[in-house]
């Protein structure tokens, strides 16, 4: 099964801290997004990742409490 993960944005480095797995549900997603936003206020940028059988995919990135584009994403 799949899960949501909140971790430090290790862009190009070793994966960041993973403190908790969130269930692959709407509540799990909203909890993960809120956790990433909160952690990014006082710490390094955070990413929310979907972790499944086919690998991991970053779906959101937060920096200073605000959503920001993932590293390496083209400007919009």
């Amino acid at each position: 099964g799949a899960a949501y993960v909140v971790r430090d944005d290790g862009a190009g480095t070793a994966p960041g801290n993973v403190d908790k797995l969130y269930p692959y549900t709407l509540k799990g997603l909203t909890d993960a997004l809120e956790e990433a936003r909160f952690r990014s206020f006082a710490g390094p940028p955070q990413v929310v990742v979907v972790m499944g059988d086919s690998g991991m995919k970053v779906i959101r990135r937060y920096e200073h409490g605000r959503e920001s584009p993932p590293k390496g994403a083209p400007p919009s």
Side-chain angles (χ1 to χ4, degrees), residues 9-53:
D9 184 9
T13 62
N17 275 349
V18 174
D19 293 330
K20 183 176 178 181
L21 294 175
Y22 295 86
Y24 195 67
T25 62
L26 181 57
K27 173 128 175 65
L29 173 60
T30 57
D31 289 348
L33 293 172
E34 183 64 19
E35 177 71 14
R37 188 180 70 80
F38 179 76
R39 284 174 45 176
S40 74
F41 270 115
Q46 301 291 307
V47 290
V48 178
V49 178
V50 175
M51 186 173 63
D53 297 333

